[in-house]
């Protein structure tokens, strides 16, 4: 798919997007003989996807990974959803950060810092690339270099890693898929990040031919589409989002905007005004204390200059 095609699809009215997405869902379901499932976070995107799927195939199961890092309101919403299979990771978050490191800045930067914090004879070239931007052929690759701003993390008194999501979320899903051969549908949208846009442009909604096939029926939707769908069809969603209201700039939620893992620090340095941890101190003081003090996220936020 070309970039212009995606942009055109993103501008389609919601009623057309619904029809297109449900056609992709039908194709996925039929191709795999109904042995499919929805990866369900309990967030608003996967809530919309699950509703779309079950309007056609009411018995398709939802898979939720209980990492222990979800907002209480998300877990309550999941408990109130029918036919949800609960999976659990093999490792707890405290053990993950002790073993691998804290998720900080972004997945990309955390991976680069992990390379530099764990020097071996086998990763000399990689470490040189992260420090200088020059690969083994002498080519300059600036996107492979750690920005100067984040170099101090290499000598931080704590480990940094992007592996948390792999261990706590992806592994349980992969384990289930290996056991059942069920193929996933996910609520990922191209508009969420440059990386997700690139991935979507390579495959479109249904990636049948990947080593691990995956369907993204909402790939061409936008945040506004999600909120409009929830509001227009009066779909129950997790209360942590608050109300959906109309503003001059479009629909917004009065509560949280995104609801990934509560203690994740990816992207927090980019948040304007009151950030997720400052809000957590007010709305979820018990979880805030555990995160900042018991898990040690406070020292990490101090190190990167983020208030909490």
């Amino acid at each position: 798919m070309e970039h212009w095609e995606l942009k055109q699809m993103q501008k389609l009215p919601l009623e057309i997007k619904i029809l297109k997405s449900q056609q992709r869902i039908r194709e996925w379901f039929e191709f795999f003989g109904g042995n499919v499932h929805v990866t369900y976070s309990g967030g608003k995107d996967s809530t919309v996807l699950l509703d779309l799927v079950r309007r056609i195939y009411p018995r398709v199961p939802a898979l939720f990974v209980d990492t222990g890092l979800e907002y209480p309101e998300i877990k309550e919403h999941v408990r109130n959803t029918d036919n949800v299979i609960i999976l659990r990771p093999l490792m707890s978050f405290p053990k993950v950060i002790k073993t691998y490191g804290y998720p900080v800045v972004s997945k990309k930067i955390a991976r680069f810092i992990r390379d530099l914090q764990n020097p071996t004879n086998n990763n000399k070239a990689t470490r040189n690339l992260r420090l200088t931007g020059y690969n083994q052929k002498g080519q300059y690759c600036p996107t492979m270099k750690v920005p100067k701003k984040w170099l101090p993390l290499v000598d931080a008194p704590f480990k940094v890693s992007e592996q948390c999501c792999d261990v706590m979320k992806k592994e349980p899903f992969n384990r289930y898929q290996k056991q059942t051969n069920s193929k996933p549908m996910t609520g990922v949208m191209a508009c969420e990040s440059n990386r997700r846009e690139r991935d979507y442009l390579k495959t479109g909604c249904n990636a049948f031919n990947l080593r691990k096939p995956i369907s993204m029926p909402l790939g061409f939707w936008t945040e506004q589409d999600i909120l409009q769908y929830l509001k227009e069809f009066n779909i129950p969603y997790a209360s942590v989002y608050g109300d959906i209201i109309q503003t001059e700039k479009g629909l917004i939620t009065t509560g949280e905007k995104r609801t990934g893992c509560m203690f994740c620090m990816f992207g927090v340095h980019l948040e304007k005004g009151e950030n997720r941890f400052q809000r957590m101190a007010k709305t979820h003081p018990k979880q805030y204390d555990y995160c900042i003090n018991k898990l040690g996220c406070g020292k990490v936020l101090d190190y990167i200059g983020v208030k909490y």
Side-chain angles (χ1 to χ4, degrees):
M1 178 182 293
E2 297 294 330
H3 188 263
W4 65 265
E5 293 178 283
L6 171 60
K7 293 304 177 186
Q8 280 192 341
M9 290 178 69
Q10 288 173 332
K11 293 177 182 178
L12 291 171
L14 179 60
E15 57 267 27
I16 301 300
K17 288 183 174 179
I18 290 171
L19 294 174
K20 283 184 170 292
S21 291
Q22 290 193 315
Q23 181 58 35
R24 298 296 171 264
I25 291 165
R26 289 188 185 93
E27 291 167 0
W28 191 255
F29 185 95
E30 292 170 6
F31 188 88
F32 293 108
N35 189 21
V36 300
H37 62 271
V38 172
T39 57
Y40 185 53
S41 69
K44 60 186 188 309
D45 302 346
S46 62
T47 293
V48 168
L49 175 59
L50 188 61
D51 186 76
L52 280 172
V53 171
R54 288 185 173 172
R55 284 175 185 262
I56 316 172
Y57 304 112
R59 300 180 66 181
V60 168
L63 264 62
F64 173 76
V65 177
D66 184 358
T67 65
L69 306 177
E70 295 79 20
Y71 284 91
E73 295 89 342
I74 290 287
K75 296 185 76 167
E76 180 183 4
H77 178 59
V78 171
R79 285 194 294 269
N80 291 328
T81 304
D82 293 334
N83 194 14
V84 177
I85 298 170
I86 306 294
L87 308 177
R88 289 180 173 80
L90 299 177
M91 188 179 289
S92 68
F93 185 61
K95 189 171 182 180
V96 167
I97 56 178
K98 182 178 180 180
T99 305
Y100 298 107
Y102 289 90
V104 63
V105 185
S106 69
K107 286 188 177 182
K108 178 181 176 180
I109 298 301
R111 170 58 197 268
F112 290 1
I113 297 298
R114 176 165 68 89
D115 289 336
L116 292 169
Q117 283 187 334
N118 296 278
T120 69
N121 290 331
N122 295 326
N123 72 357
K124 287 182 179 179
T126 299
R127 285 185 284 124
N128 182 68
L129 178 63
R130 303 302 183 223
L131 288 171
T132 68
Y134 285 94
N135 64 20
Q136 288 178 292
K137 295 180 180 179
Q139 299 168 323
Y140 186 56
C141 310
T143 60
M144 295 291 102
K145 177 183 176 182
V146 176
K148 185 176 180 181
K149 177 180 180 180
W150 301 119
L151 273 175
L153 282 169
V154 177
D155 299 316
F158 50 82
K159 295 179 183 178
V160 172
S161 171
E162 83 298 352
Q163 292 166 289
C164 180
C165 188
D166 292 339
V167 175
M168 300 204 71
K169 286 190 173 180
K170 291 182 181 180
E171 190 281 329
F173 282 133
N174 291 338
R175 189 171 4 118
Y176 177 88
Q177 291 167 37
K178 187 175 181 180
Q179 292 168 351
T180 64
N181 204 33
S182 179
K183 306 304 180 187
M185 290 178 279
T186 176
V188 166
M189 297 185 295
C191 66
E192 294 176 286
S193 69
N194 291 332
R195 180 169 170 265
R196 288 186 170 178
E197 182 177 284
R198 288 195 301 270
D199 290 344
Y200 181 78
L201 290 174
K202 290 176 185 176
T203 64
C205 290
N206 289 339
F208 292 106
N209 298 321
L210 294 182
R211 184 173 64 86
K212 293 182 179 180
I214 189 167
S215 176
M216 299 171 283
L218 306 181
F220 56 96
W221 286 42
T222 66
E223 174 80 2
Q224 287 297 296
D225 296 321
I226 295 295
L227 297 177
Q228 184 183 343
Y229 187 95
L230 292 171
K231 191 174 180 67
E232 188 172 312
F233 293 99
N234 197 29
I235 306 300
Y237 59 89
S239 61
V240 70
Y241 290 110
D243 297 323
I244 298 172
I245 61 171
Q246 183 71 50
T247 70
E248 292 181 358
K249 295 183 179 181
L251 294 170
I252 64 167
T253 57
T254 58
E256 291 298 320
K257 311 305 176 189
R258 307 295 303 175
T259 55
C261 297
M262 289 188 76
F263 310 146
C264 181
M265 290 172 279
F266 285 151
V268 68
H269 62 288
L270 300 174
E271 294 179 8
K272 306 297 183 184
E274 190 176 56
N275 65 46
R276 70 191 75 165
F277 293 102
Q278 291 172 320
R279 289 194 302 276
M280 193 195 305
K282 299 176 182 177
T283 60
H284 299 81
K286 182 179 177 182
Q287 287 83 358
Y288 174 85
D289 178 64
Y290 179 71
C291 168
I292 298 299
N293 300 312
K294 305 257 184 339
L295 292 178
C297 292
K299 67 181 180 184
V300 181
L301 294 170
D302 285 336
Y303 202 88
I304 64 172
V306 171
K307 295 180 180 180
Y308 55 90

